[in-house]
């Protein structure tokens, strides 16, 4: 397979393989530590907003609306780098995460770990989620 | 939100939010460097096989079959740790990747990088994909 050569961003976004709802999965990773933070979904408009503002904006499937990460909780994700994969169907966001990425108040969302025939929780919240969302109980 | 307490693996797998095709996205990360390698899809049977064998097995949406990573290319992923996220709709695989994770022969799949209004390719193949798949041109 030959990779697509350098392209204008706009025509590259045209070629992404959005799903039937116009969405594409986006993985957020802390840029300096490599820590995996979360996975959510973006549409073309949220990708464009994220690149324009430098603050990560997902698309909320439950609310069917832009989900400007940290808008209600203050736990924003500043964009450091945005990448696409070989198949043009996944986004990697390298970010600087303020505080907790997870709506449970934990630093990251991947806190369920398989150990033998059990699934355990191996991290604790940094902050009580009720404190995070006391003013506006929508998205993290 | 209260996290689910320790649970038996089998009942936890019952609760995962598989999509309408019975699939759930799985992110693979190199366990010791934090490098993001790829994203693919798993069903319940491929999760179970991965945990049993210690070798990552995805579900190929194009072939509608198990995709035992590295079966044809030799570029296997040994499982170090398997995690689920807070919403039970994403898997994180911490793996030890042999050689190239990407079917283009690159170490990882996220080689398209946004730079200003361009998308550039910023890594080269480790190995020619025609060499990788000369005996069995199916999946990486």
């Amino acid at each position: 397979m030959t990779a697509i050569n350098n392209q204008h961003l706009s025509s590259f976004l045209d070629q992404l393989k959005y799903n039937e709802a116009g969405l594409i999965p986006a993985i957020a990773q802390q840029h300096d530590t490599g820590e995996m933070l979360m996975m959510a979904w973006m549409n073309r408009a949220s990708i464009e907003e994220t690149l324009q503002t430098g603050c990560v904006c997902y698309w909320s499937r439950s609310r069917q609306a832009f989900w400007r990460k940290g808008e209600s909780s203050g736990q924003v994700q500043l964009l450091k780098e945005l990448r696409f994969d070989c198949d043009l169907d996944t986004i990697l966001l390298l970010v600087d995460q303020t505080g907790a990425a997870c709506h449970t108040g934990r630093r990251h969302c991947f806190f369920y770990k398989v150990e033998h025939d059990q699934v355990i929780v191996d991290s604790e919240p940094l902050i009580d989620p009720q404190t995070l969302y006391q003013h506006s109980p929508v998205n993290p």
Side-chain angles (χ1 to χ4, degrees), chain A residues 35-50:
Chain A
E35 187 179 25
M36 274 297 310
L37 297 170
M38 59 180 282
M39 200 279 270
W41 296 77
M42 299 180 107
N43 58 14
R44 182 173 175 145
S46 70
I47 298 169
E48 290 175 330
E49 175 171 320
T50 296

Side-chain angles (χ1 to χ4, degrees), chain A residues 110-131:
Chain A
F110 297 97
F111 55 80
Y112 289 118
K113 179 184 174 190
V114 176
E115 284 204 347
H116 310 292
D117 62 352
Q118 298 284 312
V119 180
I120 66 160
V121 172
D122 79 343
S123 71
E124 291 304 312
L126 302 175
I127 184 168
D128 182 338
Q130 293 199 338
T131 307

